[in-house]
Amino acid sequence: MPQLRLALNQIDSHVGDIAANADSVVHWTRHSAEQGAHLVAFPEMMLTGYPVEDLALRASFVEASRTALRTLAERLAAEGLDELPVVVGYLDRTEKAAPRLGRPAGSPENAAAVLHRGEVVLRFAKHHLPNYGVFDEFRYFVPGDTQPVIRVRGVDVALAICEDLWQEGGRVPATRSAGAGLLISVNASPYERNKDDQRLELVRGRAQEAGCTLAYLAMIGGQDELVFDGDSIVVDAGGEVIARAPQFSEGCVLVDLELPAARADAPEGVVDDGLRIDRVILSEEPVAPYDPVVPGGYADRLDDDEEIYDALVVGLRAYVRKNGFRSVLIGLSGGIDSALVAAVACDAIGAQNVYGVAMPSKYSSEHSKGDAADLAQRTGLHFRTVPIEPMFDAYMGALGLTGLAEENLQSRLRGTLLMALSNQEGHIVLAPGNKSELAVGYSTLYGDSVGAYGPIKDVYKTDVFRLARYRNRAAAERGETPPIPENSIVKPPSAELRPGQVDTDSLPDYPVLDAVLDLYVDRDQGLEAIVAAGFDPELVARTLRMVDAAEYKRRQYPPGTKISAKGFGKDRRLPITNGWREQA
């Protein structure tokens, strides 16, 4: 059987920075060539980054992508890489109208191309367009109507883009009909907790359906709220894993494959879902037989807590670096949320770039002040203390506030102080709110909700505790100082805005609250179904009222790393003005 050394470049890209992305393609193609690769692939929309959102509607950006693709092909040839076929994702436009979809010629396409000998030898657009969760691809793109196949060293290789695997029909059965020996899918599929197991089973099943070896190449890195975890996978026609790449790790995945020779009577014409086979022959002569040196391998898997924590680190790091920021500022209360955010920030960009400020009031406990200072000493971040009591007294003298208004004033003074320091010193503020608080509105607008990014906004409070314990345990196992003070983990959570206050004065116990929120927010269950699951009717009704009433607050919260299938923002979009209430 013919042999083929495949190079899957599991790398990051930067939305809009086409020149830097092209440089990455050249760099990793050269690296792949040095490793003896016969075929090289890059992720979905590698040249433009993903997702480009409304940049897809800007004709100048589309043309920049198309021009960069042609220039890239010429550059690869000029650098002596012209004989190595390269599959790369980019943004294109259709040359013909799509009357059935009401889209004119020139409409954008989520596309990929094959570059060879200085030319763009094959172009194709994504066939299945996702339109759920964070995806709005029907808003932007026209679907492709071909089944692309390239013949490389005597092997027919079918090509697909991300959702072409996730939906039934289309390019997977068309690959079998085309008689391909290998199917390569280039992807930019965002991370979600537990998605790695789902992804593996998907790839196994699709390989069996396609009747050939399947290589699933995934992007890594971060873009705004999205994180990409890599986890590229190669399986044989029976669904057995040949190679599996690490999560959250950039690099080139090399694998030596033995594949069926291309058929002399390879099918042509229209196959499944009306897809027309578009076959380009690049090289007929098989590679001279060689001893495989990269037969594959299975990277160690991360446990659930490590996976989520790494996602938070990668998401924050990408947001800071890609937006040109240098440092972050965090209000340190001594509590668990700000402590976890500080630990994530130190791991993401280095403690030397993390600035913490304690802002005690007359209600702040001595242990909270001490825990904030202890965290700073453990992590090595910059630390200062700025009491807010003089400011608070000045406001109270002028306004005479009481009750909740008095409590919220403290939070808003802290928010103003953080933003003032941000403005003066150039740090971006990180908001420490978690998903439980955001869900029920347990935060103060223009107070603890201020900031440029919310690293744990998609992490429930019970998970915050678990991740804090994981991070300390991981440090201890490495012989390092655990970053989070034990007292921040074990003491009852409190905003400390009035004497003796604890969170459970206003909220159910977090394990119960989070279980209800998981059903209502993440699974879209109604009141009756949640009560039927065994929860107290009054508690459920009260929780749901809080969630519904807080939609206007959530709209004003900063972006933050998405780790669940239903994060607040693009995933869960409800009207602010909403008269619907769940009934038992």
Side-chain angles (χ1 to χ4, degrees):
M1 297 176 72
Q3 293 173 280
L4 205 65
R5 182 168 295 169
L6 179 63
L8 303 174
N9 288 287
Q10 177 176 288
I11 64 175
D12 193 6
S13 63
H14 187 164
V15 167
D17 195 344
I18 296 175
N21 296 336
D23 287 344
S24 290
V25 172
V26 173
H27 169 81
W28 287 102
T29 299
R30 186 183 303 111
H31 172 82
S32 301
E34 291 168 352
Q35 303 303 310
H38 305 123
L39 177 60
V40 180
F42 291 89
E44 177 180 8
M45 297 192 84
M46 175 68 211
L47 265 187
T48 57
Y50 183 88
V52 296
E53 298 184 306
D54 277 16
L55 282 174
L57 304 178
R58 195 170 296 176
S60 58
F61 186 66
V62 178
E63 287 310 307
S65 171
R66 287 163 57 88
T67 300
L69 183 74
R70 295 189 296 270
T71 302
L72 176 61
E74 296 166 356
R75 182 177 172 188
L76 290 171
E79 299 206 13
L81 301 168
D82 50 316
E83 291 300 324
L84 185 57
V86 174
V87 182
V88 61
Y90 73 110
L91 176 65
D92 203 351
R93 57 175 170 79
T94 180
E95 300 293 342
K96 58 185 179 181
R100 182 173 62 86
L101 300 174
R103 304 291 292 276
S107 295
E109 293 177 317
N110 179 339
V114 180
L115 312 181
H116 190 236
R117 295 179 179 172
E119 301 288 337
V120 180
V121 297
L122 178 67
R123 302 171 186 250
F124 64 98
K126 195 175 191 175
H127 177 59
H128 286 313
L129 300 177
N131 206 55
Y132 53 86
V134 300
F135 305 107
D136 290 315
E137 295 208 6
F138 273 124
R139 171 182 170 87
Y140 303 113
F141 303 125
V142 171
D145 58 4
T146 65
Q147 175 54 62
V149 180
I150 54 173
R151 185 165 298 173
V152 181
R153 304 299 185 105
V155 176
D156 274 354
V157 181
L159 302 170
I161 302 175
C162 201
E163 193 72 10
D164 293 340
L165 256 63
W166 288 90
Q167 290 190 33
E168 297 289 340
R171 286 190 170 131
V172 173
T175 293
R176 177 185 285 271
S177 298
L182 172 65
L183 170 59
I184 298 177
S185 176
V186 297
N187 307 273
S189 182
Y191 166 80
E192 294 169 9
R193 59 194 305 175
N194 302 320
K195 191 175 184 179
D196 56 332
D197 297 329
Q198 181 187 8
R199 181 186 293 139
L200 176 59
E201 292 310 307
L202 171 81
V203 172
R204 282 175 163 164
R206 294 301 190 224
Q208 294 170 1
E209 188 179 346
C212 67
T213 298
L214 195 160
Y216 178 99
L217 167 60
M219 182 182 288
I220 68 108
Q223 168 61 26
D224 292 346
E225 296 185 295
L226 302 182
V227 176
F228 304 95
D229 64 323
D231 191 29
S232 298
I233 305 169
V234 182
V235 302
D236 65 20
E240 293 300 313
V241 177
I242 299 172
R244 191 167 189 185
Q247 291 173 277
F248 304 109
S249 179
E250 187 171 60
C252 177
V253 180
L254 286 168
V255 60
D256 280 319
L257 301 171
E258 288 192 359
L259 300 165
R263 292 165 48 182
D265 61 343
E268 300 292 345
V270 176
V271 289
D272 306 74
D273 275 13
L275 295 174
R276 174 180 50 81
I277 295 175
D278 189 2
R279 191 186 313 272
V280 174
I281 297 175
L282 302 181
S283 50
E284 292 274 21
E285 188 68 25
V287 176
Y290 64 91
D291 293 329
V293 295
V294 280
Y298 206 104
D300 292 338
R301 311 311 300 155
L302 305 179
D303 66 31
D304 290 346
D305 292 340
E306 184 178 10
E307 177 185 289
I308 294 170
Y309 189 88
D310 283 4
L312 299 178
V313 169
V314 169
L316 177 58
R317 180 187 296 135
Y319 190 83
V320 171
R321 290 182 177 174
K322 289 183 178 180
N323 285 291
F325 301 122
R326 300 183 306 277
S327 54
V328 299
L329 177 66
I330 307 167
L332 298 179
S333 66
I336 187 67
D337 294 325
S338 61
L340 180 61
V341 168
V344 169
C346 289
D347 290 335
I349 61 171
Q352 70 276 14
N353 298 310
V354 179
Y355 292 75
V357 55
M359 299 168 284
S361 74
K362 64 181 179 180
Y363 299 124
S364 298
S365 62
E366 289 303 317
H367 64 73
S368 291
K369 299 175 190 176
D371 293 340
D374 188 15
L375 170 78
Q377 185 173 19
R378 287 167 174 269
T379 59
L381 59 79
H382 303 276
F383 182 68
R384 77 189 96 173
T385 298
V386 182
I388 65 166
E389 192 164 352
M391 309 170 220
F392 178 73
D393 290 342
Y395 269 87
M396 291 298 291
L399 299 174
L401 303 177
T402 60
L404 187 61
E406 178 184 357
E407 293 178 22
N408 286 343
L409 173 61
Q410 297 167 70
S411 181
R412 291 190 173 111
L413 286 171
R414 291 179 173 125
T416 298
L417 196 157
L418 288 170
M419 294 311 298
L421 290 175
S422 169
N423 200 200
Q424 178 69 25
E425 300 175 3
H427 321 298
I428 62 166
V429 176
L430 301 184
N434 60 67
K435 191 171 185 176
S436 306
E437 295 172 348
L438 266 66
V440 297
Y442 195 64
S443 63
T444 303
L445 276 179
Y446 324 119
D448 54 326
S449 63
V450 304
Y453 201 73
I456 62 171
K457 71 174 289 189
D458 199 27
V459 181
Y460 282 123
K461 186 77 168 190
T462 47
D463 293 329
V464 169
F465 284 104
R466 204 180 69 250
L467 291 174
R469 291 198 179 280
Y470 154 74
R471 182 61 183 86
N472 278 2
R473 184 172 65 252
E477 290 171 354
R478 294 193 293 264
E480 301 169 354
T481 300
I484 299 174
E486 182 66 17
N487 197 46
S488 294
I489 300 175
V490 300
K491 66 186 178 184
S494 171
E496 294 192 331
L497 299 176
R498 63 174 183 268
Q501 182 185 28
V502 292
D503 288 4
T504 50
D505 294 341
S506 306
L507 302 175
D509 288 337
Y510 280 114
V512 176
L513 175 63
D514 289 353
V516 172
L517 293 175
D518 175 67
L519 293 172
Y520 188 53
V521 173
D522 294 81
R523 306 190 194 188
D524 286 315
Q525 298 292 305
L527 187 148
E528 186 175 348
I530 299 173
V531 170
F535 295 95
D536 176 71
E538 184 177 341
L539 180 149
V540 173
R542 174 169 161 256
T543 300
L544 269 53
R545 285 196 300 271
M546 288 191 290
V547 174
D548 293 346
E551 186 63 34
Y552 77 101
K553 285 188 177 183
R554 288 189 290 272
R555 291 287 185 94
Q556 299 180 69
Y557 202 82
T561 306
K562 167 184 152 60
I563 64 162
S564 74
K566 207 67 177 285
F568 292 124
K570 291 183 180 180
D571 282 320
R572 188 179 189 271
R573 292 174 278 188
L574 292 172
I576 295 175
T577 305
N578 181 9
W580 168 256
R581 295 292 178 265
E582 286 286 340
Q583 303 294 324

